[in-house]
Amino acid sequence: MERRVAREFRHKVNLLIDNEAEKDYLYDVLRMYHQSMNLPVLVGDLKLVINEPSRLPLFDAICPLIPLKHQVEYDQLTPKRSRKLKEVRLDRLHPEGLGISVRGGVEFSCGLFISQLVKGGQADNVGLQVGDEIVRINGYSISSCTHEEVINLIRTKKIVSIKVRHVGMIPVKSSADEPLKWQYVDQFVSGSGEGKGSVAGLASSGGRDNREKKVFISLIGTKGMGCSISSGPTQKPGIFISNVKPGSLSAEVGLEVGDQIVEVNGVDFSNVDHKEAVRVLKSSRTLTISVVAGAGKELFMTEEERQREARLREQERQELMHQKRLALETNKIIKEQQEKERLRKLEISQKAAEEEERYRREIEQITAEEEKFKKEWEEDWGPKEPPKSLKTVTAEVHAAPRSKHKIDLKGVGHDQLETDDMDEVIMKQDKQGFQKYLEDFDPYSMFTPEQIMGKDVRLLRIKKEGSLDLAVEGGIDSPVGKIVVSAIYDGGAADKHGGIVKGDEILAVNGKILIDSRLAEAQATLAKAWNVGGDWIDLVIAASPPKEYDDEIPTIPSSTVSPNTQRKVFEGSAPVYRQGYLLQL
């Protein structure tokens, strides 16, 4: 239901309003109302965009969008409109006139509207209202009549029949070049003198003072026209009506003092003298007279009438200036609203672009973190090479085997390398991609004197080729109290390197100190260092003579080890049992 109402409302808006800025303004006004629930402000804002009679149906279209508790007040605040025609009859010869003033005409591209009522006058008493549009006069449609033609039509009968419909708006146009504007009745301010410019009580707003018109007079059965004519002065030549008798035939057809006669029955009066003009007027009992209304009115005015006329003109000028100021203010408000709407849309688009960029960056960051996590997970928990079968190693401690690959950084109990040879080896390894330590790095600098007191500390760089094939045991929580090498298996990377032997203490792996580590932590550190990053693994060891190791860890007789028990190599295999401790390598 609500969707259907909204759809019909949008269809009505698209049908009646072409300007996109005005459409946006209308929608914004409704959104602000639903936030503030301020009905008078809503109606005032709506009048800025519903600013002509053709858009008035929008008030009815908006009504279903108003909450029920506000609809009664909404009907009271919005202009009252009626499609029904109302017919009234007025006496044109009433002493106070018809009591109305009108605006408009076909020359202003609009109908004829009542712009002022004389309070207590005929029109007021029969129920006419300011903002009524006059549709018919004496049975004739006036949709294509000029303002002056309507006045002449009113003057043709003593009893004037007028049909109107209430619109609630009045046209405003101070000059022919100015675009037509509309004002609501409650916004319209009229001069007090309007409505006194003609016998019928009608005044043309914004029209010319001098307007040509035709009257038809039949003198059959009458004593005469009931008017007098005079020739104009040298500075204003022509034939002018100088007097009109009240109730005469001339008064009934609308001739007035000051009207200039320009043609009678086809005879041009622009260059005729007074005598010839009288002759032509008396030559026929049927006259068609063309006059310019009020062209010489100032020639026959008294001083009091001149002052009154000046006041009326000043009032009309002030009124037009007021209407112009209102129109300018209205246009200014609309332009301000349009500019605000433009800035609002620009701000929304900028915020949307910023939000989209922020969202894109967050997605990229999340994706990068997921890739990193996935890579680390695969490195830590992904499938590895199948474990190798362990060779049987006796519990006896042997001297460290010699190898052409063995490198001792400190020569206590081992072959010494010349300084030049060491530099050459380290530089060679650096060229192959390992750069965790500087060439002149001193492994003693990693520990406190208490930690390495009496120990032969060495730095080993082992190439990652195949499996490390090295077994460890002990730990800070074991009787040994440190991490020691329990086995080196033939053919592995540790065996090929030759710098580490059974019984050596492992002090650090890739810069991580293991002096106070448990066995499981040391095994995990070795596994990660071997499987993740780089082509080399750095081991800092404390070389231990075999006899010292034998003193600390007694050899387990072979009969105490089950023949089915297998040792676990570095990459992972069955557990190794030594001294009653399970080695998790």
Side-chain angles (χ1 to χ4, degrees):
M1 179 65 179
E2 293 180 356
R3 290 184 178 180
R4 183 177 61 82
V5 171
R7 185 169 57 252
E8 291 177 355
F9 171 67
R10 288 187 177 273
H11 175 72
K12 183 75 72 174
V13 171
N14 293 332
L15 187 65
L16 299 178
I17 301 179
D18 297 328
N19 189 293
E20 292 298 327
E22 290 183 317
K23 291 180 184 178
D24 293 340
Y25 173 75
L26 177 61
Y27 296 141
D28 284 344
V29 164
L30 291 173
R31 280 194 289 268
M32 288 188 291
Y33 161 70
H34 282 285
Q35 293 174 358
S36 65
M37 287 298 169
N38 192 326
L39 196 60
V41 172
L42 168 67
V43 175
D45 291 340
L46 289 177
K47 287 182 179 180
L48 295 177
V49 67
I50 306 177
N51 52 12
E52 58 184 56
S54 63
R55 296 182 179 181
L56 288 175
L58 285 175
F59 281 114
D60 293 332
I62 292 173
C63 188
L65 305 178
I66 304 299
L68 291 175
K69 63 180 180 180
H70 285 173
Q71 287 197 0
V72 174
E73 184 181 359
Y74 177 79
D75 290 336
Q76 294 172 349
L77 293 175
T78 53
K80 302 298 181 295
R81 303 165 304 284
S82 175
R83 297 185 181 90
K84 295 182 179 180
L85 293 179
K86 178 180 181 179
E87 183 176 7
V88 298
R89 295 179 181 273
L90 303 176
D91 183 2
R92 186 174 60 81
L93 300 180
H94 192 278
E96 296 181 358
L98 299 179
I100 60 174
S101 297
V102 296
R103 285 174 174 260
V106 70
E107 68 269 39
F108 299 110
S109 302
C110 64
L112 203 69
F113 290 79
I114 297 177
S115 59
Q116 188 178 13
L117 289 173
V118 176
K119 190 173 182 180
Q122 279 194 91
D124 188 27
N125 292 335
V126 297
L128 294 181
Q129 304 177 64
V130 175
D132 284 350
E133 180 184 9
I134 300 176
V135 180
R136 289 179 176 271
I137 296 178
N138 295 334
Y140 295 98
S141 172
I142 63 170
S143 59
S144 59
C145 294
T146 63
H147 187 93
E148 196 67 24
E149 288 172 344
V150 173
I151 294 177
N152 290 334
L153 185 59
I154 290 176
R155 290 168 177 164
T156 58
K157 291 187 177 183
K158 293 182 180 180
I159 303 298
V160 182
S161 174
I162 301 177
K163 281 189 176 182
V164 300
R165 63 182 168 201
H166 188 68
V167 175
M169 302 185 78
I170 298 172
V172 177
K173 189 174 184 180
S174 58
S175 66
D177 297 333
E178 185 180 340
L180 179 67
K181 303 288 184 182
W182 294 86
Q183 289 185 3
Y184 287 93
V185 171
D186 57 352
Q187 298 172 342
F188 180 73
V189 180
S190 177
S192 59
E194 186 175 286
K196 299 180 181 179
S198 65
V199 172
L202 290 143
S204 173
S205 173
R208 297 183 304 166
D209 290 336
N210 300 335
R211 189 178 298 278
E212 186 174 342
K213 62 183 179 180
K214 285 185 179 182
V215 297
F216 305 93
I217 298 177
S218 176
L219 300 176
I220 299 174
T222 63
K223 296 180 180 180
M225 292 179 59
C227 68
S228 302
I229 62 174
S230 299
S231 297
T234 304
Q235 68 272 18
K236 194 176 184 67
I239 302 299
F240 299 89
I241 297 175
S242 58
N243 184 39
V244 177
K245 294 180 180 180
S248 63
L249 190 58
S250 296
E252 289 186 4
V253 298
L255 294 179
E256 297 179 341
V257 174
D259 289 350
Q260 181 181 4
I261 301 175
V262 295
E263 186 181 279
V264 177
N265 289 347
V267 179
D268 187 3
F269 267 41
S270 59
N271 293 315
V272 300
D273 56 16
H274 182 269
K275 184 177 180 179
E276 179 64 17
V278 173
R279 186 191 67 78
V280 173
L281 287 170
K282 291 184 177 181
S283 64
S284 175
R285 306 300 292 173
T286 302
L287 302 174
T288 301
I289 305 174
S290 296
V291 299
V292 177
K297 189 175 182 179
E298 68 278 5
L299 299 176
F300 307 99
M301 282 183 178
T302 63
E303 185 61 30
E304 183 181 353
E305 289 175 336
R306 287 191 178 92
Q307 292 178 358
R308 183 169 64 250
E309 182 68 18
R311 287 195 299 272
L312 291 176
R313 290 183 179 178
E314 179 62 20
Q315 288 175 354
E316 183 176 0
R317 189 186 70 82
Q318 292 291 342
E319 178 190 351
L320 294 178
M321 291 298 295
H322 178 71
Q323 299 299 335
K324 186 174 182 179
R325 284 194 297 271
L326 287 177
L328 290 175
E329 290 176 0
T330 301
N331 291 337
K332 181 180 178 181
I333 292 174
I334 291 179
K335 288 181 180 179
E336 289 177 353
Q337 293 290 344
Q338 292 174 350
E339 180 63 16
K340 288 181 181 179
E341 178 63 14
R342 186 187 68 80
L343 294 176
R344 186 183 69 84
K345 288 184 176 180
L346 179 61
E347 182 180 358
I348 291 174
S349 63
Q350 290 176 347
K351 288 183 178 179
E354 293 174 359
E355 185 68 17
E356 184 177 355
E357 178 65 17
R358 185 185 66 80
Y359 176 77
R360 184 186 65 78
R361 291 178 180 176
E362 288 182 354
I363 291 299
E364 289 179 353
Q365 182 179 357
I366 292 173
T367 303
E369 291 177 354
E370 288 179 348
E371 291 293 331
K372 181 180 177 182
F373 176 79
K374 182 178 179 181
K375 183 177 179 181
E376 291 179 353
W377 188 92
E378 290 178 349
E379 290 173 349
D380 292 343
W381 305 102
K384 299 179 176 62
E385 295 181 4
K388 294 184 178 180
S389 299
L390 300 182
K391 297 180 180 180
T392 303
V393 179
T394 62
E396 290 81 14
V397 178
H398 301 282
R402 296 298 179 181
S403 172
K404 62 179 179 179
H405 302 294
K406 179 178 177 68
I407 300 173
D408 291 328
L409 301 182
K410 294 289 182 176
V412 180
H414 295 278
D415 293 340
Q416 296 286 342
L417 287 178
E418 295 296 332
T419 304
D420 294 340
D421 295 338
M422 175 62 68
D423 293 342
E424 181 181 354
V425 171
I426 294 176
M427 291 176 62
K428 181 179 180 181
Q429 291 173 341
D430 286 344
K431 290 179 182 179
Q432 295 182 13
F434 185 87
Q435 296 184 8
K436 285 189 175 294
Y437 296 95
L438 299 177
E439 293 181 2
D440 58 349
F441 176 75
D442 182 8
Y444 284 86
S445 63
M446 297 178 61
F447 311 95
T448 64
E450 293 78 9
Q451 291 176 326
I452 58 174
M453 181 179 297
K455 296 181 180 181
D456 181 9
V457 180
R458 305 178 185 183
L459 170 63
L460 308 181
R461 292 188 177 94
I462 301 176
K463 180 70 173 178
K464 293 182 180 180
E465 293 178 345
S467 302
L468 182 60
D469 284 347
L470 177 147
V472 295
E473 64 181 4
I476 189 66
D477 55 347
S478 71
V480 178
K482 55 188 176 181
I483 303 297
V484 296
V485 178
S486 61
I488 302 294
Y489 303 110
D490 294 343
D495 180 54
K496 291 178 181 179
H497 182 274
I500 186 169
V501 297
K502 175 181 177 182
D504 288 346
E505 177 185 357
I506 298 179
L507 301 178
V509 178
N510 277 1
K512 182 175 180 180
I513 298 174
L514 301 180
I515 290 178
D516 296 325
S517 299
R518 297 183 179 181
L519 179 61
E521 182 180 355
Q523 291 171 339
T525 302
L526 279 167
K528 185 173 182 180
W530 185 259
N531 294 321
V532 178
D535 298 326
W536 301 81
I537 182 173
D538 289 17
L539 298 181
V540 177
I541 67 170
S544 178
K547 62 182 182 62
E548 295 180 7
Y549 182 77
D550 289 340
D551 292 341
E552 293 177 3
I553 305 178
T555 303
I556 302 174
S558 58
S559 60
T560 63
V561 181
S562 172
N564 296 327
T565 303
Q566 293 182 329
R567 294 179 177 177
K568 186 176 181 182
V569 297
F570 180 68
E571 294 79 51
S573 67
V576 176
Y577 291 90
R578 290 179 59 86
Q579 290 291 87
Y581 289 91
L582 179 62
L583 305 183
Q584 299 294 333
L585 292 183

